[in-house]
Amino acid sequence: MINKVLIIGLLALFSLTSTAQKSVFRNLIWEQAAELAEKEGKIVLVDAMRKPMNEQAKQTMAKTERDIFKVKEVADFVREKTIAIKIDMSSESGKAFAPKLVMNMYPTYGFFMPNGDILGVVSPYALAQEPRKLIEKGEEVLKAAAVKRSNNRAIVFEELSLEGAVKKGEKEGKLVFIDAYTSWCQPCVMMAKNIFTLDRVADFYNEHFINVKLDFGQDKTLAERFKVSGYPSFIFVNGKGKAVYVAGGYTEADEFIGYGQTALEKAKGIVFETGTWSQALEKAKAENKYIFMDCYTSWCGPCKMLAKDVFTDSQAADFFNEHFVNVKFDMEKGEGKMLKEKFEVKAFPTLNFINGDGELVHCTVGAPDLAGLLAEGQAVLDGKGLVALTKAYEAGNREPDFITSYLEALGNAYKEAEAEKVCVDYFVTLDKAKLHEKAYWDLFAKYVKDVDADVFAYVYENRETLCQSIGEKEVKGKIRTVWMIGANRFVTGKGEEAVLDEKGFKRYCKRLMKADVMGKAEIVEDAKMYNAEKLGDWKTYIDLGDAKLKAGKVGDMILYNWGLRVNRMCKDAALRERAAAWFERAVEACKKREAEGTEGMMSFRPYFEKLASDLQKPMQK
């Protein structure tokens, strides 16, 4: 008689063996598995494979599966935590399921959310050697699934072209975030499924950016424009359509939010300190940096343009925030008044570069473009600022390249008189015949304005041969300009202290009329009007204007500028009335040209109408 205890033991062992070997996979299609997983709060495990082509392959596949799931802990994990199914990828249902694999190769074991989002994959061949890796991967994806279940918002991508997004971003004062992807990029899809769908990512990007998805694989010009070669790429673009920051690759949430934060910081452009001048000096000295000072006024158009379009550029921000302590002062308010006097600021914007001891090392006047601004800053770092160049000049450096650089620096600093003196002195050391070479002619043309300079005398005396080597229009135009500037130098002082050197002016006019100069009579007439304006002699100014208008020598732009001057400075009502008549007649002329269809693209009619009205009113105090 068989021992009952032995029978019971054998039955128990058979039961355990059967349980371990019983397939963990259910006979369900994807839709059924997904529905059941949703109901039970589980994930779906899919054995994505291709049906064996022969008996040997079938046996190999079966052995691999037995090797994996004969480990009780693995089988139990799959039964408890997943709804496991098999899908033959060669079948019609397999082909329909394939996109959910997001370009992962099969055979593979894939973990999925019930909505079809892939959570991760693991190779069956790796599992055959180490079955417990299925549990490791499973625990990992369960955490990811929990995160997905606790998030229900996603980045909202707008159906806009890049141009439309940039336009909207500029209007709303936001950057544009471009998710640059391609259809064949697996990490692009995974970013969309796993990162863009996280609440904190979505909330941050939806608040701060205009978000668009653009297929760079379809539009190669975009890839070239932004110099993108890898995907996904994340491009942050400002209201000018220029990238302020670019990152890329599959990125976890914290780092991805960090990309956006970096872009927002860069979009602020150059960071200007908000403290006092003394605090800026202390910081510059402590950090061993130069100070970059934007000297501006509230009414200055170029100042506003510089602040809006150049200082906000990411390249400017990177360069100036790294190398300088940046400050800006309104030259008409607070400490700006003192700094204006200290650094002799005479025009706006003036950009000063100052060392930690408060000494000016470089200066440029005007609103440079980005390349120009970067070049000015680099010159300072290279020890080639205006002050350094001046010291080198005073030490005797007269090399041609140095002189060219020095003259350019003086010109940019609005030091026209100094630039002219350096240029004139330089030509004293040269054979004047070099003026027939374009490089030397350009220096003369740009900086020399003194009709009495020896180098100008040479140009005038040799004008015919210079016309042949340089060009008639350029040479004769420069000669006329110098004579014209000379005619305007006989009024000294300002306001009530203005005085005209009448004898000197008459002698100059006689000299000019004897010279071979284009439009010399017109130069004299214009100089007389200039003198009258500087002396505040508005009767003479308007008398001369009447004569020129009667002769038909006045263009609309010149006339408009006359009117602005009279309206701004002339207080005499009768004289203002006479000037108003200029613009009443000009309005009628505009109307006639409009009726004939001969008016140009730019009509001064509305400006003339306003001036006519303003001049008939008492001058505003």
Side-chain angles (χ1 to χ4, degrees), residues 30-31 125-126 150 181 244 296 339 353 355 364 435 464 484 532:
W30 163 258
E31 289 76 11
Y125 304 118
S150 66
Y181 72 96
V244 300
Y296 73 97
L339 294 169
F353 295 84
N355 65 24
T364 185
L435 282 160
E464 296 303 328
M484 183 172 63

Side-chain angles (χ1 to χ4, degrees), residues 19 57 106 116 125 131 146 152 177 199 226 247 254 286 295 341 355 379 383-384 474 564 569 588 591 609 614 620:
T19 300
Y106 50 85
Y125 304 118
N152 55 25
F177 164 59
D199 288 356
F226 294 109
D254 288 342
C295 305
E341 296 299 319
N355 65 24
K384 297 178 181 179
E474 189 168 352
L564 291 175
M569 293 181 281
E588 294 304 315
K591 290 180 179 178
E609 288 173 338
D614 290 347
Q620 294 182 353

Side-chain angles (χ1 to χ4, degrees), residues 230-265:
Y231 302 95
S233 281
F234 312 122
I235 307 168
F236 299 86
V237 176
N238 63 19
K240 301 298 179 184
K242 185 171 182 177
V244 300
Y245 185 62
V246 179
Y250 186 86
T251 311
E252 297 298 338
D254 288 342
E255 189 176 3
F256 184 62
I257 290 174
Y259 292 161
Q261 292 169 334
T262 300
L264 292 173
E265 284 300 313

Side-chain angles (χ1 to χ4, degrees), residues 438-457:
K438 189 68 166 60
Y440 290 94
W441 169 265
D442 287 345
L443 289 180
F444 165 80
K446 187 172 183 179
Y447 298 109
V448 177
K449 301 172 184 177
D450 184 2
V451 71
D452 295 320
D454 289 343
V455 67
F456 179 74

Side-chain angles (χ1 to χ4, degrees), residues 63 99 124 142 152 166 168 196 295 313 320 353 399 480:
K63 182 179 185 304
L142 283 173
N152 55 25
V166 167
K168 183 174 182 181
F196 297 168
C295 305
D313 190 279
F320 279 83
F353 295 84
E399 291 295 323
R480 184 181 192 280

Side-chain angles (χ1 to χ4, degrees), residues 452-468:
D452 295 320
D454 289 343
V455 67
F456 179 74
Y458 174 89
V459 168
Y460 180 74
E461 291 167 7
N462 295 272
R463 57 191 179 278
E464 296 303 328
T465 54
L466 280 165
C467 284
Q468 294 174 17

